[in-house]
Amino acid sequence: MEGYVATIGMFDGVHRGHQFVLQHVVDEARQRGLQSMAITFDKSGPQTLTPLDQKRLLLTKTGIDRIEVLTFNEALKQMTAREFMEQELRDRLNVKVLLTGYDNRFGHNRTEGFDDYVRYGKELGIEVISLPPAPPLQRHTLTFRSEKERGDIVSSSLIRKLIADGDIHQANELLGNPYTILGRVEHGEHIGTKLGYPTANLVLVDKCQLIPSAGVYAVKIRLENSVEWKHGMMNIGMRPTFDGQHQTLEVNVFRLKENLYGQQLQVAFIERLRGEQRFDSIEALKSQLREDAIEAERILA
């Protein structure tokens, strides 16, 4: 039998909740002798966790056989759920089984839901199956400021909030991977070099990707055309000690003297060391940077 077991979603972050869903798709496909498919969209917006190329890579790692990226154009936006199931899922993608959460919605009329999809599926020859709820992942290791956050434990929105608050540790727990940005090295003001900690000044490749809260972080860095993850620390902020006027992303790669200008770097955030601070003197800043580097090395070891 040819065809696919599929699921649909934005999959921003490809977090543990998404991984749970995708594993069910893979398992269901194997049991039925079909291929597995994740259907997603090229749509992105402010505070995106995973730009499209990064999302593709993370989806591939789940074991899904095929990743289908739909262009979020006007024609697609105007499709009803039944039209989408008929034209895209059945006719173009050969989907035989659709796995979906009970409260998942797609199509122009968002008042339609699971029961409607089941009915349309019967008419179109697509079996629609409701996914079980994801287990409360890592609940025993995480702390929450409210019961609302506890109930929303595996969502992209909660992960965005944690990252925006600088709570990288908990965000990474929910993601199942370190939060990672991709940036190109451009010329800066060389302040880090003068302080004894030369930094690469990064500009995000995808301007929509979410930047963590201002502060200093222990990070791992992968250089362009390299598979090795190097250790380092990253400063995000306005450089208040130097009366900075705009936000900068500066990464110091430990024990590296290579010229990185023009390179594209991946930076994986492991732990936040401290918030942004203004220092009364350059010597005080240097002293703190030495402490930051020691703490980052300890965390990354």
Side-chain angles (χ1 to χ4, degrees), residues 100-136:
T100 180
Y102 189 86
D103 61 349
N104 193 26
R105 296 285 190 273
F106 57 85
H108 179 66
N109 184 358
R110 292 305 176 96
T111 61
E112 296 170 303
F114 179 76
D115 291 339
D116 298 298
Y117 306 152
V118 170
R119 186 173 73 256
Y120 301 151
K122 287 179 179 177
E123 297 169 0
L124 298 169
I126 299 173
E127 184 178 354
V128 181
I129 300 175
S130 176
L131 283 161

Side-chain angles (χ1 to χ4, degrees), residues 6 64 135 182 200 202 231 295:
I64 284 285
L182 185 63
L202 290 186
H231 293 177
E295 179 64 8

